[in-house]
Amino acid sequence: MTAQTDTPGSVTAVYQVTGMSCGHCEGSVSAEISELPGVGSVKAVASTGEVTVVSAAPLDEEAVRAAVDEAGFELVGRA
């Protein structure tokens, strides 16, 4: 999902994650971040390391970091 297709009132954030190398990695990161309250969609792209998150409100970056850590990867920060 891109910023152009967001629903009104949603927030889009793009994060940089290191260590993803395949579709399974993308799925692991997406699944963990999807568990955070308010998250509507997550799209992880291993080739760029970018993870796009659409949520009802801005997410706490430490919560996102913890979710990425749980998946076995490292959150560098906002892309």
Side-chain angles (χ1 to χ4, degrees):
M1 190 171 249
T2 63
Q4 291 79 19
T5 59
D6 287 354
T7 56
S10 65
V11 177
T12 300
V14 181
Y15 299 94
Q16 191 68 40
V17 174
T18 59
M20 294 189 298
S21 61
C22 64
H24 183 265
C25 299
E26 293 170 348
S28 295
V29 170
S30 294
E32 289 296 333
I33 294 175
S34 292
E35 295 294 317
L36 296 174
V39 172
S41 69
V42 181
K43 178 175 173 150
V45 180
S47 61
T48 63
E50 289 188 347
V51 180
T52 304
V53 182
V54 178
S55 57
L59 297 175
D60 175 57
E61 190 166 318
E62 288 308 310
V64 176
R65 184 177 308 281
V68 171
D69 286 349
E70 184 67 27
F73 302 96
E74 181 182 351
L75 176 69
V76 176
R78 291 275 190 121

